[in-house]
Amino acid sequence: QSVLTQPPSASGTPGQRVTISCSGSSSNIGRNTVNWYQHLPGTAPKLLIYGNDQRPPGVPDRFSGSKSGTAASLAISGLQSEDEAEYYCATWDDSPNVFHVFGTGTKVTV
Amino acid sequence: QITLKESGPTLVKPTQTLTLTCSFSGFSLNASGVGVAWIRQPPGKALEWLALLYWNGDKEYSPSLKSRLTITKDTSKNQVVLTMTNTDPVDTATYYCAHSITVFGVISWFDPWGQGTLVTVSS
């Protein structure tokens, strides 16, 4: 069971804004940066956001990330049909040993 | 352009050892800050991180699987190998490898990922 909790699902109509939350603790999100990945079935997961709020080249500015305390969030504005996918937050956990962890995943339906 | 591709058996019997190979190009595993990670996704479930091998030879493992996993590299072949012992049907999953970057020693991410390989553990 993941230590990062996400809502199982989120939905919106084209053009709307959708926000996905990622809840962690002081040993993971509280002290490490958060990344977000988009995963479409049958394809390789894709990096959407790194370092809490940085977009890699090629990722539309409709995607934005933020972090506050032990929680992070991903916002998708101007929702498009191709945004229908599973989204995962991810970070490192330092307690008691260092390990990487993914969130429980959120299915976004457009 | 960085590419990674996973290879290995599609079917293994319970208790057998699973060996997966990640063949990569476009980067050097000797470069500072670079690593290769293994991640899996059981059918219908979330992504699960397994292991990470750093450019300097350091390794990290999922605490829950640490006793069963070994990650190694063959720099001359541009390959990273993940070995999982004593497999069980619950290990059935799509296994991915990914290029990892760590900057300032504290910020890291996985990008890009390989296409994944489906491994079924069944008798």
PDB file of all heavy atoms in Angstrom, chain A residues 39-45 86-88 102-105, chain B residues 38-50 90-96 113 115-119:
ATOM      1  N   HIS A  39       0.005   8.366 -17.410  1.00  0.00           N
ATOM      2  CA  HIS A  39       0.104   7.016 -17.954  1.00  0.00           C
ATOM      3  C   HIS A  39      -1.152   6.645 -18.713  1.00  0.00           C
ATOM      4  O   HIS A  39      -2.236   6.530 -18.143  1.00  0.00           O
ATOM      5  CB  HIS A  39       0.342   6.001 -16.823  1.00  0.00           C
ATOM      6  CG  HIS A  39       0.728   4.649 -17.323  1.00  0.00           C
ATOM      7  ND1 HIS A  39       0.644   3.509 -16.548  1.00  0.00           N
ATOM      8  CD2 HIS A  39       1.240   4.248 -18.514  1.00  0.00           C
ATOM      9  CE1 HIS A  39       1.066   2.483 -17.244  1.00  0.00           C
ATOM     10  NE2 HIS A  39       1.438   2.911 -18.439  1.00  0.00           N
ATOM     11  N   LEU A  40      -0.970   6.454 -20.014  1.00  0.00           N
ATOM     12  CA  LEU A  40      -2.055   5.952 -20.842  1.00  0.00           C
ATOM     13  C   LEU A  40      -1.877   4.456 -20.998  1.00  0.00           C
ATOM     14  O   LEU A  40      -0.749   3.973 -21.142  1.00  0.00           O
ATOM     15  CB  LEU A  40      -2.056   6.624 -22.216  1.00  0.00           C
ATOM     16  CG  LEU A  40      -2.584   8.061 -22.280  1.00  0.00           C
ATOM     17  CD1 LEU A  40      -1.548   9.047 -21.773  1.00  0.00           C
ATOM     18  CD2 LEU A  40      -3.016   8.412 -23.684  1.00  0.00           C
ATOM     19  N   PRO A  41      -2.968   3.697 -20.980  1.00  0.00           N
ATOM     20  CA  PRO A  41      -2.872   2.232 -21.075  1.00  0.00           C
ATOM     21  C   PRO A  41      -2.061   1.789 -22.291  1.00  0.00           C
ATOM     22  O   PRO A  41      -2.234   2.314 -23.397  1.00  0.00           O
ATOM     23  CB  PRO A  41      -4.337   1.802 -21.201  1.00  0.00           C
ATOM     24  CG  PRO A  41      -5.102   2.900 -20.550  1.00  0.00           C
ATOM     25  CD  PRO A  41      -4.361   4.160 -20.870  1.00  0.00           C
ATOM     26  N   GLY A  42      -1.157   0.845 -22.050  1.00  0.00           N
ATOM     27  CA  GLY A  42      -0.389   0.291 -23.145  1.00  0.00           C
ATOM     28  C   GLY A  42       0.776   1.146 -23.603  1.00  0.00           C
ATOM     29  O   GLY A  42       1.460   0.792 -24.582  1.00  0.00           O
ATOM     30  N   THR A  43       1.030   2.238 -22.883  1.00  0.00           N
ATOM     31  CA  THR A  43       2.156   3.103 -23.259  1.00  0.00           C
ATOM     32  C   THR A  43       3.089   3.276 -22.074  1.00  0.00           C
ATOM     33  O   THR A  43       2.774   2.896 -20.946  1.00  0.00           O
ATOM     34  CB  THR A  43       1.674   4.484 -23.715  1.00  0.00           C
ATOM     35  OG1 THR A  43       1.127   5.197 -22.589  1.00  0.00           O
ATOM     36  CG2 THR A  43       0.600   4.371 -24.791  1.00  0.00           C
ATOM     37  N   ALA A  44       4.236   3.865 -22.342  1.00  0.00           N
ATOM     38  CA  ALA A  44       5.169   4.151 -21.269  1.00  0.00           C
ATOM     39  C   ALA A  44       4.706   5.368 -20.487  1.00  0.00           C
ATOM     40  O   ALA A  44       4.257   6.361 -21.071  1.00  0.00           O
ATOM     41  CB  ALA A  44       6.562   4.409 -21.844  1.00  0.00           C
ATOM     42  N   PRO A  45       4.777   5.329 -19.145  1.00  0.00           N
ATOM     43  CA  PRO A  45       4.460   6.529 -18.368  1.00  0.00           C
ATOM     44  C   PRO A  45       5.322   7.701 -18.815  1.00  0.00           C
ATOM     45  O   PRO A  45       6.470   7.521 -19.243  1.00  0.00           O
ATOM     46  CB  PRO A  45       4.790   6.104 -16.934  1.00  0.00           C
ATOM     47  CG  PRO A  45       4.582   4.621 -16.931  1.00  0.00           C
ATOM     48  CD  PRO A  45       5.080   4.182 -18.288  1.00  0.00           C
ATOM     49  N   GLU A  86      -4.270   7.946 -16.536  1.00  0.00           N
ATOM     50  CA  GLU A  86      -4.003   7.763 -15.108  1.00  0.00           C
ATOM     51  C   GLU A  86      -2.852   8.690 -14.737  1.00  0.00           C
ATOM     52  O   GLU A  86      -1.875   8.797 -15.492  1.00  0.00           O
ATOM     53  CB  GLU A  86      -3.616   6.306 -14.839  1.00  0.00           C
ATOM     54  CG  GLU A  86      -3.612   5.901 -13.392  1.00  0.00           C
ATOM     55  CD  GLU A  86      -4.984   5.432 -12.898  1.00  0.00           C
ATOM     56  OE1 GLU A  86      -5.842   5.078 -13.724  1.00  0.00           O
ATOM     57  OE2 GLU A  86      -5.177   5.419 -11.668  1.00  0.00           O
ATOM     58  N   TYR A  87      -2.958   9.345 -13.604  1.00  0.00           N
ATOM     59  CA  TYR A  87      -1.920  10.272 -13.155  1.00  0.00           C
ATOM     60  C   TYR A  87      -1.385   9.830 -11.802  1.00  0.00           C
ATOM     61  O   TYR A  87      -2.155   9.484 -10.897  1.00  0.00           O
ATOM     62  CB  TYR A  87      -2.476  11.697 -13.062  1.00  0.00           C
ATOM     63  CG  TYR A  87      -2.830  12.274 -14.413  1.00  0.00           C
ATOM     64  CD1 TYR A  87      -4.050  11.979 -15.011  1.00  0.00           C
ATOM     65  CD2 TYR A  87      -1.919  13.076 -15.106  1.00  0.00           C
ATOM     66  CE1 TYR A  87      -4.365  12.473 -16.266  1.00  0.00           C
ATOM     67  CE2 TYR A  87      -2.233  13.585 -16.367  1.00  0.00           C
ATOM     68  CZ  TYR A  87      -3.454  13.277 -16.936  1.00  0.00           C
ATOM     69  OH  TYR A  87      -3.760  13.770 -18.192  1.00  0.00           O
ATOM     70  N   TYR A  88      -0.052   9.857 -11.677  1.00  0.00           N
ATOM     71  CA  TYR A  88       0.600   9.418 -10.450  1.00  0.00           C
ATOM     72  C   TYR A  88       1.539  10.498  -9.917  1.00  0.00           C
ATOM     73  O   TYR A  88       2.326  11.065 -10.672  1.00  0.00           O
ATOM     74  CB  TYR A  88       1.445   8.165 -10.690  1.00  0.00           C
ATOM     75  CG  TYR A  88       0.665   6.934 -11.045  1.00  0.00           C
ATOM     76  CD1 TYR A  88       0.399   6.604 -12.372  1.00  0.00           C
ATOM     77  CD2 TYR A  88       0.185   6.080 -10.050  1.00  0.00           C
ATOM     78  CE1 TYR A  88      -0.321   5.469 -12.701  1.00  0.00           C
ATOM     79  CE2 TYR A  88      -0.534   4.937 -10.372  1.00  0.00           C
ATOM     80  CZ  TYR A  88      -0.781   4.649 -11.702  1.00  0.00           C
ATOM     81  OH  TYR A  88      -1.488   3.513 -12.014  1.00  0.00           O
ATOM     82  N   PHE A 102       5.401   5.815  -5.349  1.00  0.00           N
ATOM     83  CA  PHE A 102       4.393   6.387  -6.227  1.00  0.00           C
ATOM     84  C   PHE A 102       3.081   6.517  -5.462  1.00  0.00           C
ATOM     85  O   PHE A 102       2.832   5.775  -4.513  1.00  0.00           O
ATOM     86  CB  PHE A 102       4.159   5.489  -7.448  1.00  0.00           C
ATOM     87  CG  PHE A 102       5.264   5.508  -8.446  1.00  0.00           C
ATOM     88  CD1 PHE A 102       6.249   4.536  -8.435  1.00  0.00           C
ATOM     89  CD2 PHE A 102       5.332   6.503  -9.412  1.00  0.00           C
ATOM     90  CE1 PHE A 102       7.286   4.553  -9.363  1.00  0.00           C
ATOM     91  CE2 PHE A 102       6.361   6.530 -10.340  1.00  0.00           C
ATOM     92  CZ  PHE A 102       7.340   5.557 -10.313  1.00  0.00           C
ATOM     93  N   GLY A 103       2.253   7.446  -5.897  1.00  0.00           N
ATOM     94  CA  GLY A 103       0.917   7.580  -5.332  1.00  0.00           C
ATOM     95  C   GLY A 103       0.016   6.459  -5.797  1.00  0.00           C
ATOM     96  O   GLY A 103       0.386   5.632  -6.626  1.00  0.00           O
ATOM     97  N   THR A 104      -1.191   6.460  -5.279  1.00  0.00           N
ATOM     98  CA  THR A 104      -2.159   5.408  -5.590  1.00  0.00           C
ATOM     99  C   THR A 104      -2.771   5.558  -6.967  1.00  0.00           C
ATOM    100  O   THR A 104      -3.420   4.643  -7.459  1.00  0.00           O
ATOM    101  CB  THR A 104      -3.272   5.396  -4.540  1.00  0.00           C
ATOM    102  OG1 THR A 104      -3.785   6.732  -4.381  1.00  0.00           O
ATOM    103  CG2 THR A 104      -2.748   4.898  -3.201  1.00  0.00           C
ATOM    104  N   GLY A 105      -2.563   6.700  -7.602  1.00  0.00           N
ATOM    105  CA  GLY A 105      -3.046   6.908  -8.957  1.00  0.00           C
ATOM    106  C   GLY A 105      -4.451   7.493  -9.022  1.00  0.00           C
ATOM    107  O   GLY A 105      -5.313   7.167  -8.206  1.00  0.00           O
TER     108      GLY A 105
ATOM    109  N   TRP B  38      13.944   0.618 -11.941  1.00  0.00           N
ATOM    110  CA  TRP B  38      12.959  -0.383 -12.342  1.00  0.00           C
ATOM    111  C   TRP B  38      11.662  -0.108 -11.585  1.00  0.00           C
ATOM    112  O   TRP B  38      11.680   0.141 -10.375  1.00  0.00           O
ATOM    113  CB  TRP B  38      13.450  -1.791 -12.034  1.00  0.00           C
ATOM    114  CG  TRP B  38      14.443  -2.322 -13.019  1.00  0.00           C
ATOM    115  CD1 TRP B  38      15.806  -2.300 -12.913  1.00  0.00           C
ATOM    116  CD2 TRP B  38      14.152  -2.965 -14.272  1.00  0.00           C
ATOM    117  NE1 TRP B  38      16.378  -2.887 -14.025  1.00  0.00           N
ATOM    118  CE2 TRP B  38      15.385  -3.296 -14.872  1.00  0.00           C
ATOM    119  CE3 TRP B  38      12.973  -3.288 -14.951  1.00  0.00           C
ATOM    120  CZ2 TRP B  38      15.473  -3.944 -16.106  1.00  0.00           C
ATOM    121  CZ3 TRP B  38      13.056  -3.930 -16.183  1.00  0.00           C
ATOM    122  CH2 TRP B  38      14.296  -4.252 -16.736  1.00  0.00           C
ATOM    123  N   ILE B  39      10.582  -0.170 -12.328  1.00  0.00           N
ATOM    124  CA  ILE B  39       9.239   0.066 -11.785  1.00  0.00           C
ATOM    125  C   ILE B  39       8.324  -0.999 -12.384  1.00  0.00           C
ATOM    126  O   ILE B  39       8.534  -1.439 -13.516  1.00  0.00           O
ATOM    127  CB  ILE B  39       8.712   1.459 -12.203  1.00  0.00           C
ATOM    128  CG1 ILE B  39       9.687   2.558 -11.762  1.00  0.00           C
ATOM    129  CG2 ILE B  39       7.329   1.710 -11.645  1.00  0.00           C
ATOM    130  CD1 ILE B  39      10.535   3.138 -12.883  1.00  0.00           C
ATOM    131  N   ARG B  40       7.319  -1.423 -11.650  1.00  0.00           N
ATOM    132  CA  ARG B  40       6.378  -2.388 -12.194  1.00  0.00           C
ATOM    133  C   ARG B  40       4.941  -1.943 -11.958  1.00  0.00           C
ATOM    134  O   ARG B  40       4.677  -1.103 -11.091  1.00  0.00           O
ATOM    135  CB  ARG B  40       6.596  -3.775 -11.615  1.00  0.00           C
ATOM    136  CG  ARG B  40       6.180  -3.931 -10.157  1.00  0.00           C
ATOM    137  CD  ARG B  40       6.430  -5.363  -9.689  1.00  0.00           C
ATOM    138  NE  ARG B  40       6.043  -5.548  -8.283  1.00  0.00           N
ATOM    139  CZ  ARG B  40       6.183  -6.693  -7.622  1.00  0.00           C
ATOM    140  NH1 ARG B  40       6.687  -7.762  -8.225  1.00  0.00           N
ATOM    141  NH2 ARG B  40       5.802  -6.772  -6.350  1.00  0.00           N
ATOM    142  N   GLN B  41       4.033  -2.534 -12.720  1.00  0.00           N
ATOM    143  CA  GLN B  41       2.611  -2.256 -12.554  1.00  0.00           C
ATOM    144  C   GLN B  41       1.824  -3.553 -12.711  1.00  0.00           C
ATOM    145  O   GLN B  41       1.650  -4.046 -13.833  1.00  0.00           O
ATOM    146  CB  GLN B  41       2.110  -1.216 -13.556  1.00  0.00           C
ATOM    147  CG  GLN B  41       0.647  -0.856 -13.339  1.00  0.00           C
ATOM    148  CD  GLN B  41       0.155   0.209 -14.289  1.00  0.00           C
ATOM    149  OE1 GLN B  41       0.524   0.226 -15.452  1.00  0.00           O
ATOM    150  NE2 GLN B  41      -0.683   1.119 -13.771  1.00  0.00           N
ATOM    151  N   PRO B  42       1.358  -4.125 -11.612  1.00  0.00           N
ATOM    152  CA  PRO B  42       0.482  -5.304 -11.720  1.00  0.00           C
ATOM    153  C   PRO B  42      -0.801  -4.913 -12.449  1.00  0.00           C
ATOM    154  O   PRO B  42      -1.217  -3.749 -12.402  1.00  0.00           O
ATOM    155  CB  PRO B  42       0.209  -5.665 -10.266  1.00  0.00           C
ATOM    156  CG  PRO B  42       1.310  -5.015  -9.486  1.00  0.00           C
ATOM    157  CD  PRO B  42       1.623  -3.755 -10.226  1.00  0.00           C
ATOM    158  N   PRO B  43      -1.441  -5.863 -13.100  1.00  0.00           N
ATOM    159  CA  PRO B  43      -2.668  -5.558 -13.830  1.00  0.00           C
ATOM    160  C   PRO B  43      -3.709  -4.878 -12.943  1.00  0.00           C
ATOM    161  O   PRO B  43      -4.029  -5.367 -11.860  1.00  0.00           O
ATOM    162  CB  PRO B  43      -3.162  -6.939 -14.278  1.00  0.00           C
ATOM    163  CG  PRO B  43      -1.925  -7.769 -14.340  1.00  0.00           C
ATOM    164  CD  PRO B  43      -1.047  -7.264 -13.240  1.00  0.00           C
ATOM    165  N   GLY B  44      -4.190  -3.724 -13.375  1.00  0.00           N
ATOM    166  CA  GLY B  44      -5.227  -3.008 -12.647  1.00  0.00           C
ATOM    167  C   GLY B  44      -4.772  -2.301 -11.380  1.00  0.00           C
ATOM    168  O   GLY B  44      -5.592  -1.788 -10.627  1.00  0.00           O
ATOM    169  N   LYS B  45      -3.463  -2.294 -11.155  1.00  0.00           N
ATOM    170  CA  LYS B  45      -2.955  -1.663  -9.927  1.00  0.00           C
ATOM    171  C   LYS B  45      -2.020  -0.511 -10.244  1.00  0.00           C
ATOM    172  O   LYS B  45      -1.754  -0.199 -11.398  1.00  0.00           O
ATOM    173  CB  LYS B  45      -2.256  -2.711  -9.066  1.00  0.00           C
ATOM    174  CG  LYS B  45      -3.182  -3.809  -8.575  1.00  0.00           C
ATOM    175  CD  LYS B  45      -2.510  -4.681  -7.535  1.00  0.00           C
ATOM    176  CE  LYS B  45      -3.496  -5.705  -6.996  1.00  0.00           C
ATOM    177  NZ  LYS B  45      -2.877  -6.554  -5.941  1.00  0.00           N
ATOM    178  N   ALA B  46      -1.533   0.122  -9.188  1.00  0.00           N
ATOM    179  CA  ALA B  46      -0.699   1.307  -9.340  1.00  0.00           C
ATOM    180  C   ALA B  46       0.744   0.959  -9.656  1.00  0.00           C
ATOM    181  O   ALA B  46       1.181  -0.185  -9.508  1.00  0.00           O
ATOM    182  CB  ALA B  46      -0.761   2.144  -8.066  1.00  0.00           C
ATOM    183  N   LEU B  47       1.488   1.967 -10.068  1.00  0.00           N
ATOM    184  CA  LEU B  47       2.916   1.808 -10.283  1.00  0.00           C
ATOM    185  C   LEU B  47       3.599   1.520  -8.950  1.00  0.00           C
ATOM    186  O   LEU B  47       3.221   2.048  -7.907  1.00  0.00           O
ATOM    187  CB  LEU B  47       3.505   3.088 -10.876  1.00  0.00           C
ATOM    188  CG  LEU B  47       2.989   3.513 -12.248  1.00  0.00           C
ATOM    189  CD1 LEU B  47       3.543   4.893 -12.612  1.00  0.00           C
ATOM    190  CD2 LEU B  47       3.384   2.491 -13.313  1.00  0.00           C
ATOM    191  N   GLU B  48       4.617   0.676  -9.001  1.00  0.00           N
ATOM    192  CA  GLU B  48       5.388   0.320  -7.807  1.00  0.00           C
ATOM    193  C   GLU B  48       6.869   0.389  -8.128  1.00  0.00           C
ATOM    194  O   GLU B  48       7.351  -0.314  -9.015  1.00  0.00           O
ATOM    195  CB  GLU B  48       5.021  -1.083  -7.324  1.00  0.00           C
ATOM    196  CG  GLU B  48       5.812  -1.530  -6.094  1.00  0.00           C
ATOM    197  CD  GLU B  48       5.512  -2.972  -5.696  1.00  0.00           C
ATOM    198  OE1 GLU B  48       4.962  -3.737  -6.519  1.00  0.00           O
ATOM    199  OE2 GLU B  48       5.834  -3.327  -4.536  1.00  0.00           O
ATOM    200  N   TRP B  49       7.605   1.223  -7.413  1.00  0.00           N
ATOM    201  CA  TRP B  49       9.039   1.337  -7.618  1.00  0.00           C
ATOM    202  C   TRP B  49       9.754   0.132  -7.025  1.00  0.00           C
ATOM    203  O   TRP B  49       9.407  -0.328  -5.933  1.00  0.00           O
ATOM    204  CB  TRP B  49       9.552   2.617  -6.959  1.00  0.00           C
ATOM    205  CG  TRP B  49      11.028   2.763  -6.979  1.00  0.00           C
ATOM    206  CD1 TRP B  49      11.808   3.151  -8.023  1.00  0.00           C
ATOM    207  CD2 TRP B  49      11.927   2.525  -5.881  1.00  0.00           C
ATOM    208  NE1 TRP B  49      13.132   3.165  -7.645  1.00  0.00           N
ATOM    209  CE2 TRP B  49      13.233   2.796  -6.348  1.00  0.00           C
ATOM    210  CE3 TRP B  49      11.757   2.111  -4.563  1.00  0.00           C
ATOM    211  CZ2 TRP B  49      14.360   2.666  -5.534  1.00  0.00           C
ATOM    212  CZ3 TRP B  49      12.877   1.981  -3.749  1.00  0.00           C
ATOM    213  CH2 TRP B  49      14.160   2.253  -4.239  1.00  0.00           C
ATOM    214  N   LEU B  50      10.750  -0.371  -7.743  1.00  0.00           N
ATOM    215  CA  LEU B  50      11.458  -1.567  -7.306  1.00  0.00           C
ATOM    216  C   LEU B  50      12.896  -1.290  -6.885  1.00  0.00           C
ATOM    217  O   LEU B  50      13.342  -1.713  -5.811  1.00  0.00           O
ATOM    218  CB  LEU B  50      11.465  -2.612  -8.418  1.00  0.00           C
ATOM    219  CG  LEU B  50      10.102  -3.090  -8.907  1.00  0.00           C
ATOM    220  CD1 LEU B  50      10.281  -4.055 -10.078  1.00  0.00           C
ATOM    221  CD2 LEU B  50       9.322  -3.732  -7.775  1.00  0.00           C
ATOM    222  N   VAL B  90       1.776 -13.071  -7.545  1.00  0.00           N
ATOM    223  CA  VAL B  90       1.547 -11.644  -7.297  1.00  0.00           C
ATOM    224  C   VAL B  90       2.604 -10.764  -7.955  1.00  0.00           C
ATOM    225  O   VAL B  90       2.453  -9.533  -8.015  1.00  0.00           O
ATOM    226  CB  VAL B  90       1.469 -11.328  -5.789  1.00  0.00           C
ATOM    227  CG1 VAL B  90       0.322 -12.085  -5.142  1.00  0.00           C
ATOM    228  CG2 VAL B  90       2.797 -11.624  -5.100  1.00  0.00           C
ATOM    229  N   ASP B  91       3.684 -11.367  -8.436  1.00  0.00           N
ATOM    230  CA  ASP B  91       4.714 -10.613  -9.151  1.00  0.00           C
ATOM    231  C   ASP B  91       4.361 -10.426 -10.623  1.00  0.00           C
ATOM    232  O   ASP B  91       5.114  -9.782 -11.364  1.00  0.00           O
ATOM    233  CB  ASP B  91       6.062 -11.316  -9.031  1.00  0.00           C
ATOM    234  CG  ASP B  91       6.563 -11.371  -7.591  1.00  0.00           C
ATOM    235  OD1 ASP B  91       6.486 -10.341  -6.898  1.00  0.00           O
ATOM    236  OD2 ASP B  91       7.022 -12.455  -7.154  1.00  0.00           O
ATOM    237  N   THR B  92       3.237 -10.959 -11.046  1.00  0.00           N
ATOM    238  CA  THR B  92       2.776 -10.742 -12.414  1.00  0.00           C
ATOM    239  C   THR B  92       2.524  -9.253 -12.621  1.00  0.00           C
ATOM    240  O   THR B  92       1.777  -8.627 -11.881  1.00  0.00           O
ATOM    241  CB  THR B  92       1.473 -11.523 -12.668  1.00  0.00           C
ATOM    242  OG1 THR B  92       1.748 -12.924 -12.607  1.00  0.00           O
ATOM    243  CG2 THR B  92       0.885 -11.166 -14.029  1.00  0.00           C
ATOM    244  N   ALA B  93       3.199  -8.700 -13.628  1.00  0.00           N
ATOM    245  CA  ALA B  93       3.123  -7.250 -13.821  1.00  0.00           C
ATOM    246  C   ALA B  93       3.810  -6.867 -15.121  1.00  0.00           C
ATOM    247  O   ALA B  93       4.540  -7.663 -15.716  1.00  0.00           O
ATOM    248  CB  ALA B  93       3.807  -6.516 -12.664  1.00  0.00           C
ATOM    249  N   THR B  94       3.588  -5.630 -15.533  1.00  0.00           N
ATOM    250  CA  THR B  94       4.402  -5.029 -16.583  1.00  0.00           C
ATOM    251  C   THR B  94       5.571  -4.350 -15.889  1.00  0.00           C
ATOM    252  O   THR B  94       5.384  -3.553 -14.973  1.00  0.00           O
ATOM    253  CB  THR B  94       3.599  -3.999 -17.392  1.00  0.00           C
ATOM    254  OG1 THR B  94       2.534  -4.674 -18.067  1.00  0.00           O
ATOM    255  CG2 THR B  94       4.489  -3.324 -18.421  1.00  0.00           C
ATOM    256  N   TYR B  95       6.771  -4.714 -16.319  1.00  0.00           N
ATOM    257  CA  TYR B  95       7.989  -4.182 -15.713  1.00  0.00           C
ATOM    258  C   TYR B  95       8.606  -3.130 -16.631  1.00  0.00           C
ATOM    259  O   TYR B  95       8.806  -3.384 -17.826  1.00  0.00           O
ATOM    260  CB  TYR B  95       8.987  -5.317 -15.457  1.00  0.00           C
ATOM    261  CG  TYR B  95       8.574  -6.194 -14.289  1.00  0.00           C
ATOM    262  CD1 TYR B  95       7.572  -7.152 -14.432  1.00  0.00           C
ATOM    263  CD2 TYR B  95       9.177  -6.049 -13.042  1.00  0.00           C
ATOM    264  CE1 TYR B  95       7.169  -7.944 -13.358  1.00  0.00           C
ATOM    265  CE2 TYR B  95       8.788  -6.838 -11.970  1.00  0.00           C
ATOM    266  CZ  TYR B  95       7.780  -7.769 -12.135  1.00  0.00           C
ATOM    267  OH  TYR B  95       7.390  -8.546 -11.070  1.00  0.00           O
ATOM    268  N   TYR B  96       8.875  -1.960 -16.068  1.00  0.00           N
ATOM    269  CA  TYR B  96       9.460  -0.851 -16.805  1.00  0.00           C
ATOM    270  C   TYR B  96      10.844  -0.512 -16.252  1.00  0.00           C
ATOM    271  O   TYR B  96      11.071  -0.603 -15.046  1.00  0.00           O
ATOM    272  CB  TYR B  96       8.618   0.416 -16.656  1.00  0.00           C
ATOM    273  CG  TYR B  96       7.208   0.351 -17.162  1.00  0.00           C
ATOM    274  CD1 TYR B  96       6.148   0.042 -16.306  1.00  0.00           C
ATOM    275  CD2 TYR B  96       6.905   0.649 -18.502  1.00  0.00           C
ATOM    276  CE1 TYR B  96       4.846   0.008 -16.764  1.00  0.00           C
ATOM    277  CE2 TYR B  96       5.602   0.624 -18.963  1.00  0.00           C
ATOM    278  CZ  TYR B  96       4.585   0.305 -18.089  1.00  0.00           C
ATOM    279  OH  TYR B  96       3.285   0.279 -18.546  1.00  0.00           O
ATOM    280  N   TRP B 113      10.896   6.588 -19.968  1.00  0.00           N
ATOM    281  CA  TRP B 113      10.676   5.200 -19.558  1.00  0.00           C
ATOM    282  C   TRP B 113      10.728   4.296 -20.792  1.00  0.00           C
ATOM    283  O   TRP B 113      10.483   4.738 -21.904  1.00  0.00           O
ATOM    284  CB  TRP B 113       9.300   5.039 -18.912  1.00  0.00           C
ATOM    285  CG  TRP B 113       9.058   5.819 -17.671  1.00  0.00           C
ATOM    286  CD1 TRP B 113       9.335   7.140 -17.439  1.00  0.00           C
ATOM    287  CD2 TRP B 113       8.431   5.341 -16.482  1.00  0.00           C
ATOM    288  NE1 TRP B 113       8.940   7.511 -16.190  1.00  0.00           N
ATOM    289  CE2 TRP B 113       8.373   6.425 -15.571  1.00  0.00           C
ATOM    290  CE3 TRP B 113       7.903   4.112 -16.080  1.00  0.00           C
ATOM    291  CZ2 TRP B 113       7.818   6.314 -14.295  1.00  0.00           C
ATOM    292  CZ3 TRP B 113       7.338   3.990 -14.829  1.00  0.00           C
ATOM    293  CH2 TRP B 113       7.305   5.086 -13.933  1.00  0.00           C
ATOM    294  N   GLN B 115       9.172   0.936 -22.858  1.00  0.00           N
ATOM    295  CA  GLN B 115       7.790   0.588 -23.201  1.00  0.00           C
ATOM    296  C   GLN B 115       7.194  -0.440 -22.265  1.00  0.00           C
ATOM    297  O   GLN B 115       5.973  -0.615 -22.214  1.00  0.00           O
ATOM    298  CB  GLN B 115       7.750   0.038 -24.639  1.00  0.00           C
ATOM    299  CG  GLN B 115       8.540  -1.238 -24.832  1.00  0.00           C
ATOM    300  CD  GLN B 115       8.668  -1.646 -26.292  1.00  0.00           C
ATOM    301  OE1 GLN B 115       8.512  -0.825 -27.193  1.00  0.00           O
ATOM    302  NE2 GLN B 115       8.955  -2.918 -26.545  1.00  0.00           N
ATOM    303  N   GLY B 116       8.055  -1.134 -21.510  1.00  0.00           N
ATOM    304  CA  GLY B 116       7.566  -2.126 -20.552  1.00  0.00           C
ATOM    305  C   GLY B 116       7.501  -3.521 -21.141  1.00  0.00           C
ATOM    306  O   GLY B 116       7.362  -3.697 -22.352  1.00  0.00           O
ATOM    307  N   THR B 117       7.611  -4.502 -20.263  1.00  0.00           N
ATOM    308  CA  THR B 117       7.477  -5.893 -20.678  1.00  0.00           C
ATOM    309  C   THR B 117       6.596  -6.620 -19.670  1.00  0.00           C
ATOM    310  O   THR B 117       6.782  -6.494 -18.454  1.00  0.00           O
ATOM    311  CB  THR B 117       8.864  -6.574 -20.789  1.00  0.00           C
ATOM    312  OG1 THR B 117       8.690  -7.898 -21.299  1.00  0.00           O
ATOM    313  CG2 THR B 117       9.593  -6.642 -19.458  1.00  0.00           C
ATOM    314  N   LEU B 118       5.623  -7.346 -20.179  1.00  0.00           N
ATOM    315  CA  LEU B 118       4.679  -8.049 -19.310  1.00  0.00           C
ATOM    316  C   LEU B 118       5.250  -9.404 -18.914  1.00  0.00           C
ATOM    317  O   LEU B 118       5.632 -10.203 -19.771  1.00  0.00           O
ATOM    318  CB  LEU B 118       3.347  -8.243 -20.020  1.00  0.00           C
ATOM    319  CG  LEU B 118       2.282  -9.058 -19.260  1.00  0.00           C
ATOM    320  CD1 LEU B 118       1.911  -8.372 -17.952  1.00  0.00           C
ATOM    321  CD2 LEU B 118       1.051  -9.272 -20.133  1.00  0.00           C
ATOM    322  N   VAL B 119       5.322  -9.633 -17.626  1.00  0.00           N
ATOM    323  CA  VAL B 119       5.798 -10.899 -17.093  1.00  0.00           C
ATOM    324  C   VAL B 119       4.667 -11.553 -16.312  1.00  0.00           C
ATOM    325  O   VAL B 119       4.079 -10.934 -15.423  1.00  0.00           O
ATOM    326  CB  VAL B 119       7.020 -10.702 -16.175  1.00  0.00           C
ATOM    327  CG1 VAL B 119       7.460 -12.042 -15.596  1.00  0.00           C
ATOM    328  CG2 VAL B 119       8.160 -10.026 -16.929  1.00  0.00           C
TER     329      VAL B 119
END
